[in-house]
Amino acid sequence: MNQKKTISYIVALCLMFPVFMPSTSLATGNFPDTTGHWAERYIARAFDQGFVSGYPGGYFYPDRSVTRAEFVSMINNAFHITGASNDTNFSDVNYPSWYSTDILVATSTTYAGGYSNGTFLPNAPITREEAAVMLSRILPYNKKSGNLKTYSDYKDVDSWATSAIGKLAYKQYMGAYDDGKLHPTDPLTRAQGAKIICDILDNETIITDNTVLEEDGITVSDRIYTNDLSIGSDLTEGSITIENCVILGDFNVSGGGDGTVTLNNTRLPYLYINKSDTPVRIVTKGETFIEKALARKQSTLQVASKNGAGVKELSVAFDADLTLKGDFPKVILTDFSSLTLTSGTIESLLVEKDADDSDIILEGKASVTEATVNAPSHFHGTGSIDLMYVNADDITYETKPTKMTVGTFVDRAISESELYDTLSMGISPSKSSNESLDTDITISFNSSVTLANGSEVTGSNINSFVSLKLTSKTGDDVPFTATINSAKKEITITPDLYLLPNTTYYVLIADQALKNAGDVKNDSKTTYFTTGSSNVKTTFSPVNTATNIATNTAITIVFSEDVLVAGGGEVTASYIPQCVVLKEGGETGTSVPFTGIISSSNIITLTPTNGLSAGTTYYVAVLKDKLKTAEGETPIGSSSATWSTASPAISTLLSTLTIAPTGGSNTLTGFAGATTSYNVEVPYGTSGIDISASAASSAVIQINGFTTSTATNIPLNSQSTTTATVIVSAVGSASTTYTINVTVLGNTALSSMSINGASLLIGSDTYSSTISATATTAAVSITAVDPNATITIGSASGTGSLTTNVSLATGNQTVTFTVKSNTTTKTYTIQFTRLAP
C-alpha cells in the first residue's frame, strides 16, 4: 500500500470509529469544544463511564450526528449488554468490522432491528424517533405516556414511533428543543445521546450481572436485566412474578412449578423452558412480549397478553410434553414431542421432518389456522384445523381439517377411525401396459397388518396369500421372493426371473387372509398388468432411489443385451442424447447437458458437462423405442432411475473454543478441533466460567444443552470437577461432542502460624521450633488463606484455622500437617528440636 493510500485508509477508520489521543482533555473527559456546552456534564460522565469517546485532536464534536452503529455501541457499552444468541445477517454489515458485534448484540436482544430490504444502514445518522424506539424497548413498561400534542410538530412523528416517543417524553428522557418542537426526524446528536443515556442510568434499576432467582413467592419489578436471568433449579415447586421488567439476555426457566412463573408487562428476546423432573407453568400477561421461545421436557405455557403481545415464535423440542393456552402466531415442532392446545389459536403450526410420530392434541374449540406437516404425526381432539399441508405419509386426525393440500408422492391424512374401520390396499402396477420386464409389484395397506390369525407377516409367508399368475387368473404360478417393510404396511414382490415381453400378469390377494389392529379383515383383490416388448434388462448406476451419491460418481446404463439404433445402425456418441435423457430436479425437472459414450455395445456412460451438484435429485431415462436389441431386433421400452447426490459435507469440528473465568481471560491452551476432551484448571476463587465456541456457519452449537455459541457464568463446584459439554451438529453430518472438565484450583497458602505462642515467618513448606527437653506437647496454631480450607494434624482438623496440642515423644521429631483447599492438597513439615537438659 503506498503512502497516499495508507493515510486515506487511516483517516477513513478515524471517521468511522472515534479513537483516543493522548491529551489531558481526553483523559478527564473535559473536551475543548464541550466547555460551556449545555451537555458538558453529561458528556464528561459518559466519557468517564466509557460509552463515548473523543476524536483525533482531542475534540468531541457534541453537535455532530450519531450513526446507527455508533448509537447501538453507546447503548451496549453504557448498559453492559453482551448477550447475543442468534446470528443476524445484513447485506451492508461487513464481518468483521468495528460495529458488527455491537449490531449483532443489539438485534439479537431485539431492541434494534434492520430494514425490510435486509439492511441495517450502520453509517446512516440515527433520527431522534429511531433512537426513541430503540430506547423504549430497553425501558420497563409504563402505561402512562407524554401528551405529544403539546409539541407543535407532533404530527411529524411517524406512527411506528408515537408510543416510543410518548414513553420517553413522559419519563423526561426526550423533550423539546428551545423552539418547543420535538424534531423527531432530525439526526440525534452526540450530546443528546449522552444526555438521554445518562438520565436513564440515573433513574432506572439496571442489573448487569447474570442473575438467578430461587426464592419462592417473590416479585421483581421495574428492572432492566441487561444480561441473562434464570429461575434456578432449587426452586422446585414455587412461584415467582416478574413484572414491568426488560430482559435483554436469555430467560432460562429451570425451576418453578404449578405455582407459576408469571411474566407481566415484561419484554425479553429468548425464553428457554428446561425444567427437569416435574412440570413448570409459565403465564404471560399484559404487554409481555417474547421474540422466541424453546420448550423442552414437561411444561405449560399460557399466553394472556394483549394488544398483539405474547410469544412470537415457539419451538418445541427434545421429547417435550407441552401444554399451551392462548394465541400463538407460530409454533414449530423440531423433534418428537407431545403438544396440547387447550384453548386459543395457533396461526402457523410446522411439524418438521425430525418430529416423527409426534402427537398434537387440540382440545375443545382450540384451532390451528394453517398446519404444515412434514413428518408422520397424529392430531387428536375436537379442535379444528382450517388448512393442513400434508407432506408425509401416516398422518392421522380425529377431527378432519377443513381443507387439505396433499404433497406429491405422499398419502392423504386419514381419520383415526378410518385406520381401523376399513382395511384397504393398493397394488402397483395395476391395469397398465408396457411395464418393464424387471418390474417389482408393491401392495400397500392403509394400516399395519398381520395374518388373520394374528401372526406376523414375514417374507416367508407372503406367498400363502399372494399369487402372481401368467396370462390369466388361473394361469401358471410365477415364482417370486417377497419382503414387507418394518411398518408392516407395504409388501414388495420381486419375480425370480425377468418377466416375459408382451405378456399379461395377474396379481391375486386371498380373501380374509389379513387383518388390522381393529380386527377388520381384507377383501380379496385381483388386478393385472402387461409388459412391454423388450426382453432386455436395463440396469442403472446409481440405482433407482439411491441417496447420498458422490458428485464425481459415473452415470452408467447397462443393457443385458447388445443394442442398436431403433432405425438401424450402431449407437454412436452423437445419438446417445436422442435416446437418453438426464434431468436435474426429477422427471419434470431441467435437462442437464452431457456427453455420452457406448462401450461393448451395451454400456452407455454419461458425463454431465458441468458436473453433478451436491444435494440434488437427478432423473436418468432410456426413451421408449429409440433402441432395439442386436439379436432379434426387438424394440426396447422405456426405463428410468431417480437418485440424489449427497448434501455438501458440513464440518462439525469447532473452529475455536475458549474457557475463561467469568469476565476473565481464556485459560484453555492447546485447542485443536479434532481433540474433543480437555481438562482445564481455573484460578482459586473462580465461581463461574464463560464458554465461547465457533464452527462452520451452518453448524448448530449447543453448550450444556442450550443452542448458543456463548454461555456465560456457568456455575462451578469448587470441591469437585465440573463437566461442561459442547455439541456441534449439522444436517447430513455426524455431530461432535466436546467434553470440558473444569477444576477450580485451591489456595493452600498459610496466612499465619505460631508454636507455643511464638509466631513464625510464613512462606516456607518446612518450619522449625525449639522445645524444652521435658516438653510433652506443643501448642500449634495455624490459619490458612482460604477460610474454607481443611487443616489436618494427626486426628485434629479445622476449617480455615486449627489450634491444637501436638503430642511429642522424646528426642527430636518431625510432624506433618496438610492444608486442603478445593481439590488441592499441600503437606507442610514442622521440625521440633529439643534443648539440651
Side-chain angles (χ1 to χ4, degrees):
M1 185 179 291
N2 62 39
Q3 185 177 13
K4 183 176 180 180
K5 289 184 177 179
T6 302
I7 294 172
S8 299
Y9 180 69
I10 294 173
V11 170
L13 284 178
C14 293
L15 289 175
M16 283 194 297
F17 190 59
V19 295
F20 291 106
M21 296 293 288
S23 71
T24 303
S25 63
L26 282 175
T28 62
N30 296 320
F31 298 91
D33 57 346
T34 63
T35 302
H37 193 278
W38 65 266
E40 180 180 3
R41 66 186 181 91
Y42 297 109
I43 294 168
R45 181 181 170 193
F47 178 86
D48 183 59
Q49 295 195 355
F51 65 87
V52 300
S53 57
Y55 282 83
Y59 291 93
F60 185 79
Y61 300 117
D63 299 317
R64 177 175 288 181
S65 61
V66 179
T67 68
R68 288 169 53 81
E70 288 171 342
F71 192 60
V72 297
S73 178
M74 290 170 66
I75 292 175
N76 292 341
N77 288 321
F79 294 99
H80 303 285
I81 305 171
T82 60
S85 295
N86 281 350
D87 288 342
T88 305
N89 295 315
F90 296 103
S91 60
D92 57 349
V93 176
N94 297 320
Y95 298 89
S97 59
W98 75 261
Y99 50 70
S100 58
T101 298
D102 279 311
I103 291 173
L104 173 61
V105 169
T107 53
S108 68
T109 53
T110 72
Y111 77 78
Y115 294 90
S116 59
N117 63 357
T119 63
F120 187 83
L121 303 185
N123 297 313
I126 190 168
T127 64
R128 285 166 54 81
E129 61 184 2
E130 286 178 331
V133 169
M134 289 188 190
L135 293 171
S136 72
R137 294 170 179 165
I138 292 175
L139 296 174
Y141 170 78
N142 190 319
K143 64 180 179 181
K144 296 181 179 180
S145 177
N147 183 7
L148 297 188
K149 291 184 179 180
T150 60
Y151 306 101
S152 59
D153 62 343
Y154 76 93
K155 291 184 178 180
D156 294 340
V157 179
D158 282 307
S159 58
W160 49 265
T162 300
S163 62
I165 289 187
K167 187 175 184 179
L168 266 69
Y170 174 79
K171 287 179 169 283
Q172 298 183 349
Y173 296 148
M174 182 177 285
Y177 281 61
D178 291 340
D179 60 4
K181 295 181 179 181
L182 279 169
H183 295 272
T185 59
D186 283 4
L188 185 78
T189 67
R190 287 164 55 79
Q192 290 169 349
K195 189 266 184 188
I196 294 171
I197 293 175
C198 284
D199 283 347
I200 293 174
L201 294 173
D202 285 339
N203 293 283
E204 303 294 339
T205 302
I206 301 170
I207 314 297
T208 60
D209 293 331
N210 292 334
T211 304
V212 179
L213 305 177
E214 294 182 313
E215 184 179 347
D216 183 18
I218 65 169
T219 297
V220 295
S221 59
D222 301 302
R223 299 182 183 181
I224 304 170
Y225 293 92
T226 62
N227 287 288
D228 292 351
L229 177 66
S230 301
I231 307 298
S233 56
D234 287 348
L235 183 69
T236 55
E237 295 298 330
S239 63
I240 283 180
T241 298
I242 299 172
E243 190 169 55
N244 298 344
C245 290
V246 174
I247 304 167
L248 295 173
D250 296 337
F251 180 44
N252 304 300
V253 179
S254 300
D258 288 338
T260 306
V261 175
T262 301
L263 297 167
N264 187 25
N265 296 326
T266 292
R267 179 185 175 87
L268 57 133
Y270 302 105
L271 165 65
Y272 292 102
I273 308 171
N274 187 35
K275 181 174 182 281
S276 301
D277 302 326
T278 57
V280 60
R281 181 171 180 260
I282 301 171
V283 176
T284 74
K285 295 182 177 180
E287 302 288 339
T288 293
F289 175 78
I290 302 170
E291 180 77 18
K292 289 186 178 181
L294 171 64
R296 298 177 58 184
K297 302 180 182 175
Q298 192 173 0
S299 56
T300 296
L301 179 57
Q302 177 179 340
V303 172
S305 300
K306 57 185 180 180
N307 298 333
V311 182
K312 185 176 179 181
E313 180 178 303
L314 169 64
S315 295
V316 187
F318 306 109
D319 295 338
D321 184 357
L322 176 64
T323 299
L324 300 179
K325 184 176 182 180
D327 296 329
F328 296 83
K330 186 174 184 179
V331 177
I332 305 170
L333 273 66
T334 61
D335 301 271
F336 165 75
S337 307
S338 176
L339 173 68
T340 301
L341 180 65
T342 61
S343 64
T345 299
I346 297 174
E347 293 181 17
S348 172
L349 173 65
L350 172 61
V351 181
E352 294 189 338
K353 291 182 178 180
D354 290 337
D356 195 338
D357 211 29
S358 290
D359 288 295
I360 300 98
I361 302 98
L362 305 176
E363 296 182 351
K365 295 184 179 181
S367 65
V368 174
T369 305
E370 181 180 291
T372 302
V373 190
N374 297 326
S377 45
H378 313 291
F379 291 80
H380 312 282
T382 58
S384 63
I385 302 173
D386 293 344
L387 172 61
M388 177 185 286
Y389 291 99
V390 179
N391 297 324
D393 294 329
D394 301 323
I395 297 171
T396 64
Y397 57 80
E398 181 176 341
T399 300
K400 186 175 181 178
T402 304
K403 183 179 179 181
M404 281 192 292
T405 299
V406 182
T408 308
F409 306 123
V410 298
D411 295 332
R412 67 179 182 87
I414 62 172
S415 169
E416 291 177 353
S417 61
E418 186 179 343
L419 274 176
Y420 305 124
D421 288 348
T422 61
L423 178 55
S424 61
M425 70 182 80
I427 302 175
S428 178
S430 177
K431 298 180 180 180
S432 58
S433 59
N434 203 36
E435 294 294 337
S436 172
L437 304 186
D438 60 351
T439 292
D440 286 343
I441 299 102
T442 58
I443 306 167
S444 301
F445 302 92
N446 66 326
S447 61
S448 300
V449 294
T450 65
L451 296 179
N453 63 8
S455 299
E456 181 182 4
V457 177
T458 65
S460 62
N461 60 32
I462 289 173
N463 60 6
S464 67
F465 57 88
V466 177
S467 299
L468 181 61
K469 299 285 188 176
L470 182 67
T471 69
S472 71
K473 290 186 284 186
T474 58
D476 292 338
D477 285 323
V478 177
F480 63 81
T481 57
T483 59
I484 187 168
N485 68 352
S486 59
K488 304 299 181 182
K489 293 176 64 177
E490 183 173 283
I491 292 171
T492 302
I493 306 295
T494 303
D496 290 350
L497 301 173
Y498 297 139
L499 301 178
L500 299 175
N502 303 311
T503 303
T504 300
Y505 289 83
Y506 283 79
V507 182
L508 295 79
I509 312 295
D511 190 44
Q512 306 289 292
L514 304 168
K515 69 176 183 179
N516 64 16
D519 283 332
V520 177
K521 296 181 181 179
N522 72 294
D523 295 326
S524 63
K525 188 165 186 174
T526 301
T527 190
Y528 62 88
F529 63 89
T530 303
T531 56
S533 57
S534 174
N535 195 33
V536 174
K537 181 176 176 64
T538 306
T539 303
F540 292 85
S541 179
V543 298
N544 189 42
T545 72
T547 58
N548 293 320
I549 300 300
T551 55
N552 61 352
T553 298
I555 304 172
T556 61
I557 306 168
V558 180
F559 301 97
S560 58
E561 294 182 32
D562 291 347
V563 295
L564 298 172
V565 174
E570 294 184 352
V571 178
T572 62
S574 61
Y575 183 76
I576 290 174
Q578 299 180 49
C579 63
V580 176
V581 295
L582 175 62
K583 293 186 177 182
E584 183 180 281
E587 184 176 357
T588 60
T590 305
S591 294
V592 177
F594 64 88
T595 57
I597 59 172
I598 186 167
S599 57
S600 302
S601 299
N602 71 324
I603 302 173
I604 292 177
T605 301
L606 308 182
T607 302
T609 304
N610 299 315
L612 297 176
S613 300
T616 303
T617 298
Y618 286 91
Y619 170 82
V620 183
V622 175
L623 299 178
K624 179 183 176 183
D625 297 336
K626 295 291 184 179
L627 299 171
K628 65 181 180 181
T629 61
E631 184 176 349
E633 298 191 345
T634 303
I636 296 174
S638 63
S639 55
S640 64
T642 301
W643 41 268
S644 59
T645 53
S647 298
I650 300 172
S651 172
T652 57
L653 297 181
L654 287 177
S655 305
T656 62
L657 176 64
T658 61
I659 314 294
T662 297
S665 301
N666 180 36
T667 59
L668 175 63
T669 57
F671 169 73
T675 303
T676 58
S677 181
Y678 296 92
N679 296 319
V680 178
E681 293 180 339
V682 294
Y684 167 75
T686 302
S687 60
I689 57 168
D690 298 340
I691 298 179
S692 180
S694 64
S697 59
S698 53
V700 176
I701 299 174
Q702 289 183 318
I703 301 177
N704 285 351
F706 291 98
T707 302
T708 179
S709 60
T710 302
T712 58
N713 203 23
I714 298 172
L716 298 178
N717 185 338
S718 62
Q719 303 302 314
S720 63
T721 298
T722 301
T723 300
T725 59
V726 179
I727 300 175
V728 188
S729 57
V731 176
S733 301
S735 61
T736 304
T737 300
Y738 293 81
T739 303
I740 304 107
N741 300 310
V742 184
T743 303
V744 181
L745 294 175
N747 187 342
T748 56
L750 305 179
S751 62
S752 65
M753 179 176 175
S754 65
I755 299 178
N756 291 330
S759 297
L760 303 182
L761 182 64
I762 299 303
S764 173
D765 294 347
T766 302
Y767 296 90
S768 300
S769 177
T770 303
I771 56 176
S772 68
T774 59
T776 59
T777 61
V780 178
S781 180
I782 304 167
T783 301
V785 171
D786 178 5
N788 297 312
T790 300
I791 305 171
T792 303
I793 300 179
S795 61
S797 65
T799 301
S801 62
L802 173 65
T803 299
T804 186
N805 289 321
V806 177
S807 297
L808 301 175
T810 58
N812 300 332
Q813 60 189 279
T814 299
V815 174
T816 61
F817 67 90
T818 61
V819 178
K820 182 181 180 183
S821 173
N822 296 344
T823 57
T824 306
T825 300
K826 183 174 182 178
T827 300
Y828 292 88
T829 301
I830 306 174
Q831 295 177 345
F832 289 100
T833 303
R834 291 187 180 274
L835 297 172

